Amino acid sequence: CSSDLYDVTPISNPLSWNIIDLTNKVLPVTSITYNADTGVYLITTTDGVNPILISNDGVTFTYETGLNWISYGAYTPFDYIPFDENNYDVSGVEVPSDGLYASLHANNIYFAVGDVIVLSLDAYTWNVVYAPANNRTLALKDIQYFNLTSFVGYMTVGKITNQVTGVTNECILTSNDGYVWNNPLQSPLGNNGFNSVATNGNIILGVGENGIAYTTTNGSNWFARTTPTANNLNKVIFNNGMFIIVGDN
């Protein structure tokens, strides 16, 4: 939901849901990630004041001053002080004030992407590992980890805009370790941003604005594919032997 911040959680099956009001502030929520090893839920938003919120149970929440998404009886996501010793903090998660669109937990590392790429080892303290050059703005919409024959590593996609010329191109960044990111393209593919990437284990499919779709096996060489729509394609997954794409209209 993009009005008041809500968390929608299943009760016992995917047909039964509860809506939990998490905060009294309007936040544009963009993604949720769960780390099964630590039981940490992570939400990203495009709100620069509160770009990341975390919980230890994903069900029971409270808030103070509209900033804190924390679990009763658990540790606050700010300084590890138990809730029963210090009910709330006045600051947010230690994360740069940038809007974020997507998140990932892979290889014991948390990632969030949007205006920048940020990384955390514990979900509490975040550091910028990639930021655009001067006069450039990023809008990274998805991040995934792939393990293919011709590509092993992290990939994030979106778009980048030159604030001087006004020209927008797709943005594809890859990394072997999550810390050092590079653009694998020799030249831009076009003027439409990517919104999502997925793999079937052999190829990677990227989809985006105005119905674009591209495939690659190595992250560097991309080939345009035809789709039956000019509407924005917002998310792609691979399941049961097929790619499934959802978008506008």
Side-chain angles (χ1 to χ4, degrees):
C1 300
S2 60
S3 55
D4 291 341
L5 175 58
Y6 291 101
D7 177 38
V8 184
T9 55
I11 301 305
S12 58
N13 63 73
L15 301 179
S16 178
W17 298 81
N18 274 349
I19 296 179
I20 303 171
D21 194 353
L22 301 180
T23 181
N24 60 0
K25 180 178 180 178
V26 176
L27 292 177
V29 175
T30 52
S31 75
I32 184 168
T33 296
Y34 177 65
N35 178 2
D37 294 330
T38 62
V40 170
Y41 296 82
L42 183 150
I43 278 180
T44 60
T45 83
T46 54
D47 180 80
V49 178
N50 302 285
I52 289 178
L53 305 97
I54 60 176
S55 170
N56 291 319
D57 61 17
V59 177
T60 305
F61 304 92
T62 189
Y63 64 88
E64 302 289 346
T65 68
L67 293 178
N68 305 357
W69 179 36
I70 54 181
S71 304
Y72 287 105
Y75 289 89
T76 72
F78 314 120
D79 56 14
Y80 290 93
I81 299 176
F83 187 82
D84 57 359
E85 295 179 14
N86 182 24
N87 289 348
Y88 64 91
D89 292 314
V90 296
S91 61
V93 177
E94 188 178 337
V95 58
S97 297
D98 294 287
L100 301 171
Y101 289 98
S103 54
L104 171 72
H105 181 261
N107 302 313
N108 298 316
I109 305 175
Y110 294 93
F111 297 91
V113 299
D115 301 343
V116 295
I117 302 175
V118 293
L119 173 154
S120 175
L121 299 179
D122 60 7
Y124 298 93
T125 301
W126 295 78
N127 295 295
V128 175
V129 291
Y130 185 89
N134 291 338
N135 300 318
R136 303 291 194 277
T137 57
L138 270 179
L140 298 171
K141 298 299 184 67
D142 194 12
I143 180 170
Q144 300 291 336
Y145 180 80
F146 297 127
N147 189 351
L148 282 66
T149 301
S150 301
F151 178 84
V152 177
Y154 303 92
M155 179 180 293
T156 182
V157 297
K159 62 183 176 182
I160 187 167
T161 301
N162 186 318
Q163 294 300 303
V164 176
T165 65
V167 174
T168 295
N169 298 110
E170 79 293 322
C171 182
I172 301 170
L173 299 171
T174 60
S175 174
N176 293 325
D177 59 7
Y179 290 86
V180 179
W181 293 82
N182 297 288
N183 179 359
L185 301 179
Q186 296 296 319
S187 60
L189 300 175
N191 301 116
N192 296 299
F194 276 47
N195 290 328
S196 182
V197 284
T199 185
N200 64 357
N202 296 308
I203 64 171
I204 298 170
L205 172 64
V207 300
E209 297 174 339
N210 298 310
I212 66 166
Y214 286 81
T215 59
T216 183
T217 58
N218 59 13
S220 299
N221 303 109
W222 292 79
F223 302 93
R225 305 301 179 185
T226 301
T227 66
T229 181
N231 293 315
N232 293 335
L233 303 177
N234 299 323
K235 184 66 178 179
V236 58
I237 64 170
F238 183 83
N239 191 44
N240 292 329
M242 70 183 77
F243 287 101
I244 302 172
I245 305 170
V246 296
D248 295 351
N249 299 321

